Amino acid sequence: MKEITNSLNKKIYYIVAWTVIAIMISGLLIDNPRFGEFGVVYISHSILVLILSVSLLLYPKNGTGFLRLTIISVASVYFYTLFLSYPETSSTYVFLCFIPALSILYFDSKLFYFSLLLNGISIVIVYGYILLMDGMQYPFIEEDPIGNFLNFVASQIIVYFIFHLTNGRIKKQQLYYEQIQHSERLKTTGQLAAAVAHEIRNPLTVVKGFLQLFEHDPSFSDDRKGQFTLMIDELNTAEQVISQFLSVAKPDKENVTENVNVKVVLQSVTDLLYSYGLLHDNRIELKVTENCTISANTIEFKQLLINIIKNAIEASNIGDQVLVTAGREEDSVVIQVIDHGQGMSESQVASLGTPFYSLKSKGTGLGMMVCFNIVEKFKGTIDFQSSIGHGTTVTIRFPSSTPS
Ligand code: ADP
Ligand code: MG
């Protein structure tokens, strides 16, 4: 329960924990029918109160899964002990019904199912004991065993339902939080890029200009000129990195949003990359089932597709085919880029979009960051299905700009 680390919540937790401990101790001391006997029942009751109190107080300092399991298990044993030791106090039956609800507080699904199962088994054993062995100590159960059992089952269903709804809501919030973190990361890199890239671009252009001059200067030997060419190549790479970074940082107003014909753009991108694919004997096959249009900027949309198809070609083995498909699904345009190349693990997929994340010796690790940015800008989604050694399917969805 991370929430406990917050100081206000910590205070509330301790107030609740101390109140619970006080109530448990009152149960031991005030008007307890076994008080003074010091028999097995009273001693076990006292030991359970002690273990439960210590675990509750230790939890915020050392909130491990083991301690959670201990608290839930000891609490279950404690409530069953109360029920079996004090048959005259019939209200303890209510506690048995709500045992699994305790683990909802810890937002731990495994613990909840464990507790629910344990409670189900325990209640069956307790009913067996009461109905077969007990001599009318629990008249309310013996007079109406089925009614009481059904009420117990109903309470477990209600508790399960509360758990299910709460858990679903928490998971949704977590996902939302991760998405916000992701877009924050993109925003920060964008701002940083804008500041740095401009400063670096100008000196680079000047140096490159001089090198280009020297390259054609007859007073330099051919060896030297070869070195200049190498230097210009490296500067070109640096420029490429900068322009990719700048494309993330560019303010929106520079790029107009227009109706983009997906088929036309895909055709021009695959034509452009055709010779790049042939380098490794990879053919790009294009299948567009319908004419579809989206609302985006043509240049950026092209950039997105080039990055993704290039990655697919680079991941493919020699001779493999890369399939690009496009079609409509309800109000969306769905584009898929499918390769049968090296694939990625789950953690590699999770790292996509992080600036400079690249597994290639000559990669910039900026392509995916640019892609995520473009997809987000035009209200699309991008999804990766990948398995190591089998290939990757990248699915991009954009809202269709023509009604179906
Ligand atoms: P770069 O291509 O410059 O390395 P990207 O941001 O385009 O940078 O890609 C980041 C990394 O993601 C790549 O280095 C590669 O390891 C992995 N990757 C991207 N697309 C694929 C794919 N289709 N198959 C396998 N790995 C991929
Ligand atoms: Mg790339």
Side-chain angles (χ1 to χ4, degrees):
M1 204 165 15
K2 273 196 197 111
E3 294 73 12
I4 290 182
T5 41
N6 171 321
S7 74
L8 178 69
N9 284 350
K10 214 172 198 170
K11 238 184 225 164
I12 294 173
Y13 178 87
Y14 278 119
I15 292 174
V16 173
W18 277 112
T19 312
V20 170
I21 293 171
I23 293 174
M24 289 195 297
I25 294 177
S26 326
L28 268 179
L29 301 179
I30 304 174
D31 203 23
N32 184 317
R34 310 281 177 277
F35 186 72
E37 286 172 15
F38 292 105
V40 183
V41 168
Y42 194 76
I43 291 174
S44 351
H45 183 171
S46 312
I47 292 173
L48 285 168
V49 169
L50 183 72
I51 302 177
L52 205 51
S53 310
V54 172
S55 314
L56 281 176
L57 293 177
L58 277 183
Y59 185 72
K61 292 193 190 84
N62 184 17
T64 56
F66 177 71
L67 197 56
R68 282 201 287 266
L69 186 67
T70 312
I71 294 177
I72 297 298
S73 311
V74 176
S76 309
V77 176
Y78 172 71
F79 288 133
Y80 274 95
T81 307
L82 286 188
F83 179 74
L84 293 173
S85 311
Y86 304 93
E88 60 279 13
T89 319
S90 54
S91 53
T92 45
Y93 188 67
V94 176
F95 286 133
L96 303 190
C97 299
F98 284 99
I99 287 176
L102 293 176
S103 51
I104 297 180
L105 299 175
Y106 295 111
F107 299 119
D108 185 332
S109 355
K110 273 192 206 143
L111 196 65
F112 175 77
Y113 290 120
F114 168 75
S115 174
L116 197 66
L117 186 73
L118 190 72
N119 207 28
I121 296 172
S122 310
I123 201 76
V124 171
I125 296 174
V126 165
Y127 262 73
Y129 165 76
I130 292 176
L131 297 178
L132 300 176
M133 333 252 302
D134 187 59
M136 277 312 267
Q137 284 211 71
Y138 297 88
F140 70 101
I141 287 187
E142 272 151 86
E143 275 162 26
D144 183 14
I146 295 181
N148 275 296
F149 191 74
L150 285 181
N151 282 346
F152 176 84
V153 172
S155 71
Q156 300 307 279
I157 294 173
I158 293 171
V159 169
Y160 170 77
F161 200 56
I162 295 173
F163 167 77
H164 183 75
L165 288 184
T166 328
N167 209 34
R169 207 169 286 171
I170 288 169
K171 278 199 180 133
K172 229 186 252 169
Q173 264 178 350
Q174 239 169 4
L175 198 73
Y176 179 61
Y177 177 68
E178 275 165 24
Q179 278 170 347
I180 288 182
Q181 260 189 333
H182 187 75
S183 49
E184 269 309 303
R185 199 168 56 182
L186 283 178
K187 210 170 107 191
T188 322
T189 22
Q191 286 163 346
L192 216 125
V196 178
H198 275 297
E199 300 305 319
I200 298 178
R201 203 179 223 180
N202 292 344
L204 276 189
T205 319
V206 175
V207 176
K208 199 172 113 185
F210 275 111
L211 286 173
Q212 275 165 340
L213 274 183
F214 294 160
E215 218 185 1
H216 299 106
D217 187 335
S219 60
F220 286 107
S221 68
D222 280 351
D223 267 3
R224 267 287 118 82
K225 283 182 182 169
Q227 287 166 347
F228 291 149
T229 314
L230 272 181
M231 287 157 98
I232 291 171
D233 275 352
E234 292 301 306
L235 286 179
N236 280 340
T237 312
E239 260 186 351
Q240 195 196 335
V241 170
I242 289 173
S243 50
Q244 277 187 322
F245 240 144
L246 268 179
S247 74
V248 175
K250 248 183 230 163
D252 285 349
K253 56 178 179 280
E254 277 185 32
N255 291 317
V256 283
T257 305
E258 56 213 337
N259 255 349
V260 180
N261 185 321
V262 175
K263 188 175 184 173
V264 172
V265 173
L266 274 177
Q267 193 63 56
S268 86
V269 168
T270 44
D271 286 348
L272 187 78
L273 288 174
Y274 178 77
S275 48
Y276 185 73
L278 283 191
L279 278 180
H280 290 105
D281 204 13
N282 299 127
R283 261 164 229 289
I284 309 170
E285 185 168 346
L286 180 61
K287 273 190 195 158
V288 182
T289 49
E290 273 170 279
N291 248 339
C292 26
T293 54
I294 61 168
S295 215
N297 174 267
T298 311
I299 297 171
E300 286 178 306
F301 183 53
K302 266 188 188 171
Q303 200 180 1
L304 164 73
L305 295 167
I306 290 174
N307 278 333
I308 288 172
I309 299 174
K310 247 181 94 193
N311 278 347
I313 293 173
E314 286 159 5
S316 292
N317 303 312
I318 293 176
D320 275 358
Q321 191 190 53
V322 170
L323 177 63
V324 182
T325 66
R328 281 180 73 149
E329 247 175 48
E330 289 168 12
D331 289 337
S332 305
V333 173
V334 183
I335 301 158
Q336 286 197 311
V337 177
I338 304 161
D339 70 67
H340 305 286
Q342 65 203 41
M344 289 175 276
S345 67
E346 251 176 58
S347 68
Q348 285 170 347
V349 170
S351 304
L352 292 176
T354 310
F356 302 113
Y357 169 77
S358 175
L359 298 179
K360 296 168 195 165
S361 55
K362 281 212 150 189
T364 59
L366 293 172
M368 289 319 302
M369 181 187 78
V370 172
C371 290
F372 280 21
N373 210 270
I374 296 171
V375 167
E376 190 181 77
K377 189 165 157 188
F378 299 111
K379 309 207 166 24
T381 58
I382 183 165
D383 173 57
F384 298 84
Q385 268 184 317
S386 192
S387 91
I388 293 252
H390 293 101
T392 306
T393 300
V394 185
T395 309
I396 310 161
R397 278 168 213 275
F398 282 109
S400 170
S401 62
T402 40
S404 47

